[in-house]
Amino acid sequence: MTDTELLDRCRELIRQQLGWPPVREWNSASFSELSQKILEATNVGLSTTTLKNALETADAPSPFTLNTLAMYLGYENWENFRTRQTTMFTPLSALMPPQRGKLVTYTSFFAGVILLGLLVLGGFVFMKGCAP
């Protein structure tokens, strides 16, 4: 995920956690209320101006602000948020082991997984049929 995508994800998670409409529909009182909620949850104060800049603009917030927003969402810090979000959205192909010259393909890998599943299922059916 790019930094912009991570920031967008953070904004959306905050909005969802609050159960509020999209940020563009917030007013000054909304940012003030969020500031208070962040203070209560993290013991860190962010001004309404800082929150408006962080949540409404495309500019990247300061590391301090990013860490605080991540903490509000329940993460240790921004780097922890980045790691968890990147891992969560890693495509399956990136999790596959590298080929390293072997003739194993994704098709044969998935065929093997399906065959193994069918063998296990067949074993259960066979064992159930043999039971008195």
Side-chain angles (χ1 to χ4, degrees):
M1 274 185 146
T2 67
D3 287 343
T4 302
E5 291 171 329
L6 282 169
L7 187 53
D8 288 344
R9 178 81 177 135
C10 178
R11 290 172 177 140
E12 179 59 19
L13 290 172
I14 289 171
R15 187 196 68 75
Q16 288 176 4
Q17 182 169 318
L18 295 167
W20 291 358
V23 174
R24 67 182 176 277
E25 297 177 22
W26 295 5
N27 57 31
S28 294
S30 302
F31 288 100
S32 180
E33 184 177 344
L34 176 58
S35 177
Q36 185 60 38
K37 288 179 181 290
I38 289 173
L39 180 62
E40 291 168 3
T42 66
N43 290 323
V44 177
L46 292 179
S47 72
T48 56
T49 303
T50 298
L51 288 172
K52 282 182 181 182
N53 290 335
L55 300 176
E56 286 185 330
T57 67
D59 298 335
S62 72
F64 179 82
T65 301
L66 291 173
N67 283 333
T68 304
L69 294 175
M71 288 171 26
Y72 177 69
L73 289 171
Y75 295 88
E76 191 175 323
N77 54 35
W78 183 254
E79 190 56 40
N80 180 252
F81 175 79
R82 175 196 309 274
T83 301
R84 298 281 300 276
Q85 296 304 308
T86 303
T87 303
M88 184 185 316
F89 292 105
T90 301
L92 181 60
S93 60
L95 299 176
M96 300 292 288
Q99 294 295 323
R100 296 193 184 160
K102 295 182 180 179
L103 296 176
V104 177
T105 63
Y106 292 123
T107 305
S108 62
F109 173 77
F110 288 117
V113 169
I114 291 170
L115 181 60
L116 180 62
L118 289 172
L119 286 172
V120 170
L121 181 63
F124 282 124
V125 170
F126 177 77
M127 294 300 288
K128 186 169 177 120
C130 291

